[in-house]
Amino acid sequence: MAIPTTASAGTDTMPRLLARNVAEFGDKSAYREKEFGIWQSWTWSEAAAEIETLALGLLTLGVKEGDHIAIIGRNRPYLYWSMVAAQKCGAVPVPLYQDAVAEEIAYVLDHCSARFVVAQDQEQVDKVIEVMDQLPGLEHMVYLDPRGLRKYDHSHLSRFDEIQARGRDQGDPAELKRRQDAQGYDDTCVMLYTSGTTGRPKGVVLSNRNIIETSKNSAEFDHLEPGDEILAYLPMAWVGDFIFSIGQAYWTGFCVNCPESPETMHTDLREIGPTYYFAPPRVFETQLTQVMIRMEDAGRFKQWMFRHFMDHAKKVGPDILDGKSVSFGDRLKYKLGDLLVYGPLKNTLGFSRVRVGYTAGEAIGPEIFDFYRSLGINLKQLYGQTEASVFITQQPDGEVRSDTVGVPSPGVELKIAENGEVFYRSPGVFVRYFKNDESTASTKDSEGWVATGDAGFIEEDSGHLRIIDRAKDVGKMADGALFAPKYVENKLKFFPNILEAVVFGNGREKCTAFINIDLTAVGNWAERNNIAYSSYQELAGHPKVLEIIQGHVEDVNQSVAEDPMLAGCQVHRFLVLHKQLDADDGELTRTQKVRRRIIEEKFDDLITALYDGSTEQYTETEVTYEDGRKGKIKATLEIRDAKTVAVEAKTLEAAE
Amino acid sequence: MNDMSGGNYTTADGRKIGNTLMEMKNITLRFGGVVAIKDISFDIHEGEIRAIIGPNGAGKSSMLNVVSGFYNPQEGEVWFRGKKRPPMKPYQVAQQGIARTFQNIALFEGMSVLDNIMTGRLTHMKSGMFAQALWLGKAEREETQNREVVEKIIDFLEIQTIRKTPVGRLPYGLKKRVELARALAAEPKLLLLDEPMAGMNVEEKEDMSRFILDVNDEFGTTIALIEHDMGVVMDLSDRVVVMDYGKKIGDGTPDEVRNNQEVIDAYLGVAHD
């Protein structure tokens, strides 16, 4: 089964790719979903039939060409079909984050003037109904899971299968065909809203060309095949999921597996054993933390075996993976380790069959990265953006390192501006921001170069890109030394006990930090050391925990001091926050990135205390509970000084 | 306002309440010289959520045990689906379509959640021990069908993650949910819940309330529950029976009961002369 290497007339839209897949791999599984304890599966032919009836049903609702259809829910085949069905109708699918609160949904639905919404369940339907009065343009909602919705007013609400039945009975196949034929390579494929690290989310318009060219290039780069399997568990509103689960899946014809529920994701991962896998660093970190915690509870012999073979894997594993020469004895020992330790461990993690694994979004700790690679998992890094249809740079097999993000992806050109900001140009570059020409113009210049907002440099000998920080976050300290908070935060976060860190110091004499402890790791430590605690807050304020964190901060200071450019970023004072930073409270984005400015405003009193020399500070913080109610947490936080290494810090001017 | 005493009406949220499903007529239950229940009559309509409330020691659990057939009252009659029910063994009551949960969870701790719920299907298994042991065609088909029902309940109660976990390892709130799942697996006509919220925190109570409402709404199961958390009862139930010292002191909608002086006295306390 050969895959064509260029997009021809038959492969220039998603519905046409679907038709090609039906012709070429009609009987092969296209989608699987675990439901009622069993993996239900649909072949490409079956999926195409489902999509067809749904599209016909959408036509009967009055979907017009160019309409926006919002899709809200977790990864389910039906919702992926909704996206392609929308495309068949000439409409544009707009997937939304399922954990978005009602106001966020209202903003997006209003901004794209969506007339139709496909929602997963009562929870999502309720959120839309809550903001319905702000959305005069919204006409009809389609829902998947009927539970709890039976008694709702159905004048503007229909069940998914009812719409399909309606399409089957009353649909107009000729009109659907006409609309499908009218679509071309430069028509809009999807619109994705950025998570909005700063300000309001922006609607990124991506054309068929953007998605298909990118999918094709990246699929060839990693030799993806029709026999590959992926697990679709990342938010559908995220560009990566659209590229993996629709773009590349349709281009190569591989199978998309949807977990039973977000909580069962790890079990489902093991059962499927994907061959192509993506996870943000946080997922790998959590898994490694869990492995380590469980190893500490294991018997002495198992612990010894684990340590012994993991040491060997760390020594030779990455080299074997990269195909470098390794002595016969070492190879043999690695084989034995694979039999006894690595193999079973990979199986437990669900990584037995991973051929290509990626991580991106944030820097991954070198220890974490090396751990997975030494097990023989081909984990690589990529660097991407919604505006680029994901891929800007990625690491080729055999050239994988934890401190770079790889070489430019096929078809991508890179340039570094004078202030260090990275620019790129590629076939995947977005068309425009929806209804926001101003932002489009400030992001993409007339020659098609797009600003990433990240500062970095290209390594001379290897050609790999290295990212230091967000360009706008890179600042200067009062004495002119370089201030790169993310660089320090990442080093802090590499400790399993630290979940999140926020470093301050722009324009100031010294750097200080907020720390969030990782409840799993620290909680386990507390249990083993008989330290009682009743809440997150109590554990976070425990003097022994503060001591451990202080040790970590001082280790980081030592390592930061080794880089003369960044030595000024050593953390002089820190505190451990009494609450976990949370997207519901606006402190993180929905993709779990720190919103620096909001945190600075919200915890203004704590920052003042960090700089005025006080040893403790009383604070009250407003929190939002899961059901939307608000409450207050009160705490008195201890502020500690950390040892720093005296280095003559170089200023930015001196370095230039 | 509808007349609720006779059944056959529609609630404010659109649920249909049917005829009388069960009727208790002048029940009196004695343990030796102790009168646990004294001359109590009330009925349960098809499709409704009926609560029995009262202070500690009022006789609520005894009443539920009479309904479930565990106790046979010395006086009075139990009518179920239009027929007078003779004294029965608990398994015969289960076969009639009555399932229950217990105040102190009664699950098989060493068995997985799935197996525990499967035991709830026992009354629906027809094939003999021999056929099941040899895994004959009929037994296999039956197992598959029953597993399907159980999986739908697992999905409904959102306990997919713990499907294979031994019950003994689960926290209290989840055990309660598994017990509800097992009762549901019997596809009962009447579901009896003995203090479903006891010992739960606010969040767990909210979850459980939602599941009880959803069960009633989706499967049309008639539910009779005992609870002493007044707030929960008033929000959940269509009609409430109030007991005190083995006697019925109130019966009606939550609003009626709330304004009943005798009920207020029983709960807030009053000087007995």
Side-chain angles (χ1 to χ4, degrees), chain B residues 7 35 69 75 114 118 138 152 180 254-255:
Chain B
V35 184
E75 285 164 40
L114 181 68
M118 280 298 267
K138 189 183 159 216
K152 292 220 165 111
L180 176 62
D255 278 337

Side-chain angles (χ1 to χ4, degrees), chain A residues 2 110 118 143 192 197 200 211 249 351 536 630:
Chain A
D110 179 51
V118 181
Y143 61 85
L192 300 161
T197 323
R200 286 292 204 177
I211 296 294
F351 294 156
Y536 180 88
K630 290 194 192 300

Side-chain angles (χ1 to χ4, degrees), chain B residues 100-124:
Chain B
R100 69 169 296 177
T101 66
F102 297 84
Q103 193 172 345
N104 321 304
I105 301 164
L107 291 163
F108 303 101
E109 296 268 311
M111 273 157 56
S112 72
V113 168
L114 181 68
D115 290 339
N116 265 286
I117 305 174
M118 280 298 267
T119 60
R121 296 296 298 164
L122 204 64
T123 50
H124 295 260

Side-chain angles (χ1 to χ4, degrees), chain A residues 462-484:
Chain A
S462 67
H464 280 234
L465 178 67
R466 272 181 75 167
I467 299 290
I468 318 174
D469 202 342
R470 295 291 296 169
K472 65 173 169 46
D473 288 334
V474 174
K476 279 182 196 171
M477 307 201 42
D479 61 356
L482 192 64
F483 172 65

Side-chain angles (χ1 to χ4, degrees), chain B residues 46-80:
Chain B
E46 237 168 275
E48 87 177 330
I49 301 182
R50 187 73 150 127
I52 305 172
I53 64 169
N56 282 334
K60 301 181 302 277
S61 286
S62 303
M63 193 69 236
L64 201 75
N65 279 326
V66 171
V67 175
S68 72
F70 191 68
Y71 291 155
N72 283 314
Q74 281 81 5
E75 285 164 40
E77 295 171 353
V78 179
W79 285 66
F80 185 59

Side-chain angles (χ1 to χ4, degrees), chain A residues 43 100 235 242 367 374-375 389 410 423 433 439 444 483 504 607:
Chain A
T43 64
F242 191 84
E367 294 83 18
S374 63
L375 288 176
S389 313
F423 285 74
Y433 289 122
S439 286
K444 186 167 84 160
F483 172 65
F504 308 98
I607 297 176

